[in-house]
Each structure stands twice: as C-alpha cells, then as structure tokens.
Amino acid sequence: MKNFLFPLLGIILFMFNCKSSDLSIKTIEVTSDIKNNVELSDIAKVNNIVSLEYNGFDLFSEIASINRLDDKIIIHSLNPSMISIANENGQIINQLKPDDTDPFSINGITEVKLYNNFIYVLDREHFQINKMNIELERLSNVKLNYYIQSFEPLDNEVYFLYAGHEKTENNSGMFLIYDSKEQKLLDDLIPIHLNTPNFFKFMTRNHIIRLSNNNFLLWDSSKNYIYNYSDSLEENYFIDYGSRKLDDSFYETATFGNSYEFLTEMRKLNYAFRHFNIKSNDNYLNFSYEMEGGFINTLYNTQTGKTYNYKNVNDNLITGLSMPGLNYFNYLTEKDEFIIYLSYEYLSKTENEILKAAYDNNEDVLVFGTLKF
C-alpha cells in the first residue's frame, strides 16, 4: 500500500503545482467591451491642479516621463530634450539640457529613472548611463557596450537594460542584466526573433518597471505577455487580444522590409497589435495598443482584475472636455497617484476657472489625482 501511495501523492502534488502556476498568470482582456468614452469620475478623483511657473526657465512640451522624488517633480521633456525639476506648487526650480561641450555634463537624454533618491539618465546615442543628484549634478557615469532604449537600476552597480530588437555580437536577447563594475553581462533574457531586427524598430520607453517590492515588470510589443522578474523571469500578465490576436508564430515568420511597411500592412488588417506606453504601480496597469487604425487604451486593476478599455476620456472633473485617452494616466507613481500634464493649448474651451486663467497666461498645467476603481 505504501508503494502505491507515494507515487499517487507525487502525481497529485505535480498536478497541484502545475495548476497553481497556470493560475498565477493573470489575463487582461483588451478587445471586449471597448467604450468610446469613459467618465473620468468613474475611475479617478482629482486632488490638486497647479499651473507651471517657469520663472525664467525654458518652456517645454512633449513629455516623455514625470516622476516624483519626495516633494519634487522630475519632468523629462522631448521638446526641447531636457530635465526640469518642479516643486509641488508647480514652480520650476532647476533644468538640465544636454551639452556636448561640457565634460562634466551629460550629452543626451533618452530615458530618466529614479533609484535611491538619485536620478539616472540613459544616453542611448553615447552608450552611457549618468547618475545625478537632485541638483542635477552628474556624480558618475557607466559606459555600455549595447544600444539601449530603456533601463532600470537593479542596485548601485547592476542594471536591467532593454535592447529591443537590436541584436549585436554582444547580445541575443531583448533584456540584459549588466554588471557595470565588472563590465560584464550577467544574463540575456527573451531571445530576439529572427526577422524582427529588420522591421520592428520603434523607439519606445519604460520597458522595465520597478514595483515597490523591488520586483520588476518587463514588456516587449512582440510578446503578448508582461513578465515579472524577481529572482527569475516569469510570465505575469497575458494581454488577450481575443479574435484580433496575431498567431504566435507571426513575428518568427514575418518578412517585412522596414517599420513603415510593417505598420502600413498591419493597419490594413483586422488585428489588434503593438501595445506600448505601459505604466504601472503596485495596483494599476495602463497601456495603449493599435486597432482599426486608431488607439485603444486599457486601465487594469492588478488586485481585482477590473478593466476599462476605452478610446477617449470624458473629462468631467478637470477640463469638461472629451479628450484622447492617450493623454491620461501616462505617469503613475506609488500609492495609486497619477500625474497629468496638460499643455495650455488644450485649455482654450474649458470652463474651469483655474484652467481658463492658465490658458490666458499661456501656462501649462499639472494635475495630481488618484485612481479609485
């Protein structure tokens, strides 16, 4: 009897473990129940609205990222390319622009991340990561052997790097773990498809997201999974495009000659594809994707599984206007806070007195709020 029970117990344990592993992958259904408009008051509350006061500093637009460091707001803009520091009242108190002529400054800004109260700046074109203090003084820099478009510090010397679909003699994976002190590659994760280096060339950011428990979320648009990395890589979320899903083998066999050809052909078809702009904190995920020639946005509660899929936000809390969903929830911080940047050009038709005054003074606006669904 003993000889029979032990094999049976092993089979039961094996089946239980397999089932538990499957259940740990959460599915996000993104092509069902898509709303043309979602009411902002259904999913969020607004805590504060402040006008940006430039105080002689340069104006900026086209925001790549907004992060919070205690009571300071760190803004990475693309036009012009620079880092601006604001206080919670919206006053700009410092700025840094790339300077090729200054050996003690930085040469370029691709992505900005925060870690241990320091500001880290990726300079893709010059193959380096610069470490800055809150005064925007460069403290050190790390030289890279890889053409990187996104990153995240793992600790003071080890970095997560996202190479995308650019395969070199130094890497075969999309994600790399790099020891800057030893100057060596520690791990090479998620192999790059055979043909995608020819056509999947999109400059996107924030492919590695640090959560408060020091776990990391990793994503790439050619994979319908969002991965979790702690001690190893695991599939965490499955983005379910339903009947609009591309076959699993699509990116392995596609032979497009360039990115333009890929997008042109894909937009003729009835697929949903190319999720991007993924932002997350401990309780929420936000991202967008292409479908039928337009963009769909998804907000997902990671604790309850509740999902909103929508094209536009009916902003009944701030501007009183219906606006493209791409403008909302792009900057998530801890404790379920979001920060919205609104250029003053958006505010010409609003009835909100604070925003009307900002428009009259050509002042951009930061909105601080909390997701609540």
Side-chain angles (χ1 to χ4, degrees):
M1 188 68 175
K2 283 184 180 180
N3 291 336
F4 173 76
L5 282 175
F6 280 111
L8 179 61
L9 181 60
I11 292 171
I12 293 172
L13 288 173
F14 174 77
M15 292 175 65
F16 177 79
N17 286 335
C18 289
K19 187 175 181 181
S20 298
S21 176
D22 290 341
L23 289 176
S24 67
I25 302 175
K26 300 177 182 179
T27 297
I28 308 174
E29 296 183 1
V30 297
T31 54
S32 61
D33 192 26
I34 297 173
K35 304 178 186 298
N36 281 324
N37 288 281
V38 62
E39 299 290 324
L40 184 58
S41 59
D42 288 344
I43 55 181
K45 66 177 183 177
V46 172
N47 301 324
N48 195 20
I49 302 174
V50 299
S51 297
L52 285 172
E53 299 176 24
Y54 288 90
N55 301 317
F57 288 101
D58 291 344
L59 304 181
F60 52 77
S61 62
E62 297 182 42
I63 307 304
S65 68
I66 301 179
N67 293 290
R68 177 189 286 279
L69 184 54
D70 298 326
D71 60 347
K72 301 295 189 299
I73 310 301
I74 291 78
I75 303 169
H76 170 206
S77 62
L78 301 179
N79 184 26
S81 177
M82 66 181 178
I83 301 170
S84 302
I85 309 291
N87 60 26
E88 290 183 310
N89 297 319
Q91 298 167 325
I92 304 298
I93 57 177
N94 202 358
Q95 281 182 338
L96 177 68
K97 288 189 284 188
D99 185 352
D100 284 331
T101 65
D102 184 353
F104 299 102
S105 185
I106 61 176
N107 303 126
I109 304 172
T110 304
E111 188 177 57
V112 176
K113 292 296 184 77
L114 306 182
Y115 177 63
N116 274 357
N117 295 320
F118 292 104
I119 301 170
Y120 290 80
V121 181
L122 171 64
D123 179 357
R124 169 182 168 87
E125 299 299 326
H126 296 89
F127 297 90
Q128 60 185 352
I129 296 172
N130 294 287
K131 180 180 179 181
M132 323 283 294
N133 59 23
I134 192 62
E135 287 77 32
L136 296 179
E137 299 167 329
R138 190 175 76 172
L139 304 176
S140 62
N141 77 337
V142 170
K143 301 295 183 181
L144 302 171
N145 295 319
Y146 313 95
Y147 210 38
I148 300 303
Q149 63 188 68
S150 187
F151 80 111
E152 183 73 47
L154 267 168
D155 60 31
N156 292 323
E157 296 173 344
V158 179
Y159 293 86
F160 247 131
L161 307 176
Y162 173 72
H165 294 256
E166 298 187 64
K167 187 184 298 185
T168 71
E169 62 182 14
N170 297 316
N171 73 289
S172 60
M174 302 177 189
F175 293 90
L176 317 174
I177 300 178
Y178 179 70
D179 186 326
S180 63
K181 184 178 180 180
E182 300 296 329
Q183 297 185 338
K184 68 176 183 179
L185 191 64
L186 301 181
D187 213 341
D188 199 349
L189 305 170
I190 308 182
I192 297 171
H193 301 293
L194 177 63
N195 295 320
T196 50
N198 296 325
F199 66 87
F200 212 80
K201 298 177 180 180
F202 302 101
M203 183 59 211
T204 49
R205 298 174 177 82
N206 210 48
H207 286 264
I208 306 156
I209 303 168
R210 180 190 297 273
L211 302 179
S212 66
N213 57 5
N214 275 337
N215 281 5
F216 297 85
L217 295 182
L218 287 68
W219 65 273
D220 177 82
S221 294
S222 70
K223 300 288 186 180
N224 289 341
Y225 288 94
I226 300 173
Y227 300 86
N228 180 281
Y229 185 91
S230 177
D231 296 322
S232 60
L233 189 70
E234 297 180 350
E235 295 168 344
N236 197 170
Y237 299 100
F238 174 64
I239 300 176
D240 185 1
Y241 287 116
S243 61
R244 305 292 188 95
K245 174 180 176 290
L246 291 166
D247 291 338
D248 291 339
S249 62
F250 174 82
Y251 287 105
E252 291 291 347
T253 58
T255 56
F256 300 103
N258 53 56
S259 300
Y260 177 79
E261 181 183 333
F262 165 69
L263 289 178
T264 301
E265 292 302 314
M266 291 303 299
R267 286 167 179 166
K268 295 177 182 176
L269 304 175
N270 203 27
Y271 291 110
F273 71 105
R274 206 171 73 90
H275 47 275
F276 65 99
N277 205 27
I278 294 184
K279 304 294 172 64
S280 181
N281 55 25
D282 291 335
N283 295 325
Y284 295 95
L285 268 168
N286 175 68
F287 59 91
S288 304
Y289 62 92
E290 288 201 44
M291 188 174 75
E292 296 178 345
F295 296 107
I296 310 298
N297 310 284
T298 292
L299 259 176
Y300 175 77
N301 187 313
T302 62
Q303 305 303 310
T304 67
K306 189 168 185 178
T307 306
Y308 280 91
N309 303 311
Y310 59 95
K311 296 179 180 178
N312 303 295
V313 172
N314 183 19
D315 182 356
N316 56 353
L317 296 179
I318 309 167
T319 64
L321 307 173
S322 179
M323 302 179 71
L326 286 172
N327 294 335
Y328 284 81
F329 315 122
N330 284 338
Y331 318 112
L332 299 182
T333 65
E334 294 181 11
K335 300 179 181 177
D336 304 333
E337 179 190 53
F338 63 85
I339 304 173
I340 299 173
Y341 165 85
L342 294 175
S343 176
Y344 77 91
E345 290 99 332
Y346 285 113
L347 310 178
S348 61
K349 298 180 181 179
T350 182
E351 295 301 318
N352 182 299
E353 292 300 323
I354 296 175
L355 300 184
K356 285 171 67 176
Y359 174 75
D360 291 339
N361 295 320
N362 292 351
E363 293 176 341
D364 305 317
V365 166
L366 292 181
V367 179
F368 299 85
T370 309
L371 293 170
K372 67 174 189 177
F373 71 91

